[in-house]
Amino acid sequence: DAKTTQPNSMESNEEEPVHLPCNHSTISGTDYIHWYRQLPSQGPEYVIHGLTSNVNNRMASLAIAEDRKSSTLILHRATLRDAAVYYCILRDQSSAGGTSYGKLTFGQGTILTVHP
Amino acid sequence: GAGVSQTPSNKVTEKGKYVELRCDPISGHTALYWYRQSLGQGPEFLIYFQGTGAADDSGLPNDRFFAVRPEGSVSTLKIQRTERGDSAVYLCASSLGLWDEQFFGPGTRLTVL
């Protein structure tokens, strides 16, 4: 699986936007970019995913660079509940990548601290 | 609706004992995954089921670990002759299909003394 690189930690203030970067310079054409987050003492939860175009949902936005070698998860107004570890994950969803059977390969993630 | 549930939430055992960890996936989800998370690390894949069969068990660390899903719903992760290094949070996830988002349970914290 292609590797992702994220900062170990980031800080934000409540109600301010947060931009969480992820580098994936070895991404392949069939890799989707997924983001999950893990709140303290909970299992991970899905946030968003995309392939080439920017994506928006009720939780966040995903901005994907034109060359796809990096992406940014955007939380538009951070709340205290957004304090979590954020994981950027690549999933090869082509038939050739089918042997991965959809498993998620987590890295260390970014620890996001939100200050009141 | 009900999410993924895991029992027990905490399990303390002694080195050498046998343990079983249970996962109840979301109803109708055909795919089920087990992950293990050590302190300060991201979750690590163990095994994946599609229906009743284990489609990929490449993440199981050794033959002391085994998992079943006999009726395509509930799954049990079994660990024989537990070792202190097995101490971790064991997470279960399910998804509707292979490439759909995975829904995780709260995990079982296993402590081997």
Side-chain angles (χ1 to χ4, degrees), chain B residues 1-79:
Chain B
V4 177
S5 62
Q6 293 186 245
T7 54
S9 55
N10 280 284
K11 177 70 177 178
V12 179
T13 190
E14 293 180 343
K15 180 176 179 294
K17 299 290 189 182
Y18 167 82
V19 297
E20 290 190 352
L21 311 179
R22 176 187 168 108
C23 172
D24 282 81
I26 293 173
S27 178
H29 281 194
T30 60
L32 185 146
Y33 300 80
W34 283 99
Y35 295 83
R36 178 169 73 171
Q37 186 170 27
S38 300
L39 193 62
Q41 305 294 317
E44 175 188 25
F45 168 78
L46 295 177
I47 187 169
Y48 156 69
F49 287 89
Q50 180 61 43
T52 60
D56 181 5
D57 63 358
S58 62
L60 295 178
N62 51 61
D63 60 6
R64 295 187 297 106
F65 289 75
F66 188 71
V68 295
R69 194 186 185 198
E71 297 178 357
S73 179
V74 171
S75 176
T76 304
L77 179 65
K78 309 180 182 198
I79 310 174

Side-chain angles (χ1 to χ4, degrees), chain A residues 92-107:
Chain A
D92 182 351
Q93 300 186 204
S94 67
S95 56
T99 54
S100 71
Y101 294 107
K103 67 186 177 189
L104 298 170
T105 302
F106 291 84

Side-chain angles (χ1 to χ4, degrees), chain A residues 60-99:
Chain A
S61 295
L62 177 60
I64 301 172
E66 195 169 334
D67 64 4
R68 300 210 325 126
K69 293 183 185 300
S70 66
S71 60
T72 303
L73 179 70
I74 302 166
L75 307 179
H76 295 285
R77 290 184 65 198
T79 68
L80 296 178
R81 195 194 172 276
D82 291 321
V85 180
Y86 286 78
Y87 297 100
C88 171
I89 299 166
L90 301 183
R91 296 177 85 188
D92 182 351
Q93 300 186 204
S94 67
S95 56
T99 54

Side-chain angles (χ1 to χ4, degrees), chain B residues 87-110:
Chain B
S87 296
V89 175
Y90 288 80
L91 294 161
C92 176
S94 70
S95 64
L96 192 59
L98 178 61
W99 297 115
D100 295 313
E101 67 176 278
Q102 295 184 16
F103 293 84
F104 284 78
T108 294
R109 181 175 299 278
L110 174 67

